[in-house]
Amino acid sequence: MLMVGLTGGIGSGKSAVAARLVERGAVLIDSDRVAREVVAPGTPGLAEIVEAFSPRVLAADGSLDRAALGAIVFGDEASRRRLEAITHPRVRARSVELAAAAGADAIVVNDVPLLVEVGLAPTYHLVVVVQTAVSTRLARLARDRGMDRAEAERRIAAQADDARRSAAADVLLTNDGTLAELHAAVDALWRDRLLPYERNVRERRVVRATRVELTEPDPTWPQQYVRLAARIRHALAPADLRIDHIGSTAVPGLAATDAIDIQLTVPTLADADGPLAERLADAGFPRVPEERWDGPRSAGSGRWEKRLHGSADPGRPVNLHIRAAGSPGWRYALLTRDHLRADPGQRAAYLLLKRELAASAPDSATYTTAKDPWFDEEHLRAEAWAAQTSWRP
């Protein structure tokens, strides 16, 4: 199934997005609702809260008095952490149960207000953030919840700010317009990204471009890499393998085909098979079975073996190269990246070549092969630079 994280600040309209996704066919897990469920009267969760904070957090009917509890934990870091230690594991366990009850082809939307604050972004295939201007949020909170301005501002300030949420977002839905505009954006997300993404994960299908279209340098490429690497790292835990951003999107100032190249380092290529490959596929990075080699950069050295995975997400192509630590292909990927970062002349020469080839050889296979002579020469230049600078991978 496809696991989607949905979040947004208070008053952003996140609930409207969740409702629309349910109308389209998503299975919704509302973490606020689950949080209330795990501390309902008679539950072990409520009993532990009372034990920790005394019966004064109970209402007259025996339910949790949230206002009384909030007065205790708000502004008290130790109390807040004590409460989270009671509730968060129970919310996670119940959410897992609800997800497991969904169909194998389900798109499960996890509505989590504090998704960014508690670091849950890497646990989902995709994170959707609803972002709305603070002035609009304040007006909505006054209109819809009768909240006075001071309280609304306090609630907003207690959550992650827009910049932090944006950094975690694979999809950013702006909700400063009408409800109809928001619904149109959600419908497009469902049709063009979530439905094909779920199918690709289930069928272990990689999204790959067949034509070369250069994209101007995107300053968000490094940030996108960080999100992808965190997702990969989570999928492979507890293994702690080296992950690097490589290729043109890792070199500032280079135009590139809009695919993030990532290198995952394994002790041996045998470690890239079996459970590791399945974990990556489950996380949205299936294997590309027919591509297992890099072209060598020294004649007669034989092909450089690797494993290649890609992305099942139609909105974010990825080339995930799995190479053995210390292997020639592994070293070359890191060396070329660092040399191009350090040498503006070679960076400019490579950019010129890319533009010429993209215009004359727009299909991916021809474009890749046509760059080989330049990379053969770059290999020699990069090795000379490495010797001069004492570069180490």
Side-chain angles (χ1 to χ4, degrees):
M1 63 185 67
L2 190 74
M3 299 293 288
V4 178
L6 172 65
T7 194
I10 185 172
S12 64
K14 172 175 59 61
S15 296
V17 172
R20 187 64 171 185
L21 287 169
V22 169
E23 290 177 8
R24 301 276 71 81
V27 175
L28 179 65
I29 299 176
D30 185 334
S31 66
D32 278 346
R33 185 177 302 168
V34 173
R36 290 191 293 272
E37 177 185 323
V38 299
V39 295
T43 61
L46 181 59
E48 192 170 345
I49 287 176
V50 172
E51 182 180 355
F53 297 102
S54 84
R56 71 181 186 275
V57 300
L58 290 176
D61 63 357
S63 64
L64 181 64
D65 186 335
R66 294 182 177 278
L69 180 61
I72 294 172
V73 303
F74 186 78
D76 184 338
E77 181 74 10
S79 295
R80 181 179 64 81
R81 290 189 179 279
R82 192 175 184 186
L83 175 63
E84 290 174 349
I86 296 170
T87 59
H88 286 185
R90 289 178 165 86
V91 170
R92 286 194 293 268
R94 180 57 179 153
S95 297
V96 168
E97 290 177 357
L98 293 171
D105 61 348
I107 297 174
V108 179
V109 174
N110 299 265
D111 181 343
V112 187
L114 299 182
L115 182 153
V116 174
E117 289 86 340
V118 298
L120 289 177
T123 68
Y124 303 109
H125 290 99
L126 196 78
V127 171
V128 178
V129 171
V130 185
Q131 185 166 288
T132 308
V134 171
S135 58
T136 304
R137 294 164 65 188
L138 289 170
R140 287 176 181 166
L141 290 171
R143 180 195 66 202
D144 300 336
R145 305 193 194 185
M147 197 176 292
D148 66 62
R149 186 179 182 89
E151 175 63 11
E153 289 177 340
R154 184 180 72 87
R155 295 283 190 94
I156 290 173
Q159 295 181 333
D161 60 20
D162 286 346
R164 190 173 168 197
R165 283 199 200 90
S166 295
D170 299 293
V171 176
L172 196 62
L173 292 177
T174 301
N175 184 26
D176 291 309
T178 65
L179 183 61
E181 290 170 334
L182 180 64
H183 282 175
V186 173
D187 291 350
L189 170 65
W190 179 263
R191 178 186 66 246
D192 299 335
R193 193 160 184 180
L194 298 185
L195 283 176
Y197 195 176
E198 183 282 320
R199 184 171 58 251
N200 291 343
V201 170
R202 180 163 34 92
E203 297 178 358
R204 302 300 200 237
R205 186 162 51 195
V206 172
V207 175
R208 306 197 75 187
T210 57
R211 292 182 60 82
V212 175
E213 295 182 11
L214 289 185
T215 300
E216 292 306 305
D218 185 341
T220 72
W221 278 333
Q223 189 176 78
Q224 293 182 53
Y225 157 75
V226 169
R227 290 199 298 270
L228 293 163
R231 197 163 287 144
I232 292 166
R233 189 169 286 110
H234 174 77
L236 300 181
D240 186 17
L241 301 177
R242 176 172 173 173
I243 305 174
D244 290 281
H245 189 190
I246 60 170
S248 293
T249 62
V251 180
L254 271 185
T257 55
D258 190 18
I260 305 296
D261 280 275
I262 300 172
Q263 180 166 272
L264 174 64
T265 302
V266 292
T268 70
L269 280 182
D271 297 299
D273 300 324
L276 184 146
E278 282 303 304
R279 287 185 179 187
L280 288 174
D282 288 342
F285 303 96
R287 175 167 288 181
V288 182
E290 68 273 14
E291 296 204 22
R292 301 168 64 93
W293 309 93
D294 290 313
R297 294 304 162 195
S298 53
S301 64
R303 293 181 296 182
W304 293 344
E305 191 177 2
K306 69 173 179 181
R307 301 289 184 268
L308 181 65
H309 288 238
S311 173
D313 179 3
R316 173 30 63 211
V318 171
N319 299 312
L320 176 56
H321 309 263
I322 305 180
R323 298 184 175 106
S327 65
W330 174 87
R331 173 187 167 84
Y332 181 70
L334 299 171
L335 173 58
T336 303
R337 177 201 65 188
D338 291 350
H339 182 230
L340 290 176
R341 284 175 174 176
D343 190 327
Q346 291 307 317
R347 190 164 62 243
Y350 182 40
L351 177 58
L352 179 61
L353 174 70
K354 285 161 71 79
R355 293 194 189 283
E356 291 175 348
L357 292 179
S360 61
D363 65 282
S364 296
T366 304
Y367 174 80
T368 300
T369 303
K371 290 191 293 183
D372 280 346
W374 189 89
F375 273 114
D376 287 339
E377 296 179 1
E378 165 60 14
H379 178 54
L380 300 176
R381 289 188 295 263
E383 287 292 359
W385 172 80
Q388 292 167 0
T389 60
S390 300
W391 174 88
R392 293 291 182 272

